[in-house]
Amino acid sequence: QVQLQESGPGLVKPSETLSLTCSVSGGSISGYYWTWIRQSPGKGLEWIGYIYYSGTTNYNPSLKSRVTISVDTSKNQFSLKLNSVTAADTAVYYCAKFYSSSWFNWFDPWGQGTLVTVSS
Amino acid sequence: EIVLTQSPGALSLSPGERATLSCRASQSVSRSYLAWYQQKPGQAPRLLIYGASSRATGIPDRFSGSGSGTDFNLTISRLEPEDFAVYYCQQYDSPPPVFTFGPGTKVDIK
């Protein structure tokens, strides 16, 4: 079964770019949608954006100006970049598989999450 | 943007009791796009229910979802020790595509 694992720096300085990668194992990234979600004590669970394996993306309007999600099918990975970070971007960042159809959609499974702290 | 409100914020129950969790939306939500997740401490959320009432693969039948429009419920018929966790509802709306989560209901042991 598909498993996801986030990786990247746990500490990012204010105004810099947060960069995370999600490695997918147990299945191919091709043919599916993939997503990033974050969780902070202040804002709870917040959807960041999703990407189709072909590269089509959709982002949360509240973060759209700062977010880029990309995919590398050769490595079975997808990535998140969030620029101009502030302390408000401190959160646990999750990657997940996004199932989408005309009738239903859901996020499952999820990676274990990685804590990113924004601090100087 | 559709805002989800969950009540109660916390629920203290004993194993074997029934739990009813509420999720209310600020505007009507399509049943198809209402999901419930369970999160235990230190773990990622896990999908329980999709399409408001369909159980995800491997989810025990003591979990059930119901509702439509702006009011949805998650019911756990008889609480098992492993069910004490935080539960989130989540909806999808478009255009543009946006997913939002409720603030969660914590179910803890009385």
Side-chain angles (χ1 to χ4, degrees), chain A residues 37 39 45 47 50 58 61 94 98 101-108 110-111, chain B residues 32-33 37 39 43-45 47 50-51 54 88 90 92 96-99 101:
Chain A
I37 295 162
Q39 184 173 30
L45 286 161
W47 171 69
Y50 69 71
N58 267 300
Y94 295 101
F98 169 43
S101 75
S102 300
W103 301 274
F104 305 113
N105 58 43
W106 62 76
F107 304 123
D108 183 68
W110 299 48
Chain B
S32 293
Y33 300 132
Y37 299 82
Q39 186 177 33
Q43 297 184 16
L47 177 70
Y50 65 90
S54 297
Y88 296 96
Q90 171 255 311
Y92 164 78
V98 176
F99 302 83
F101 292 85

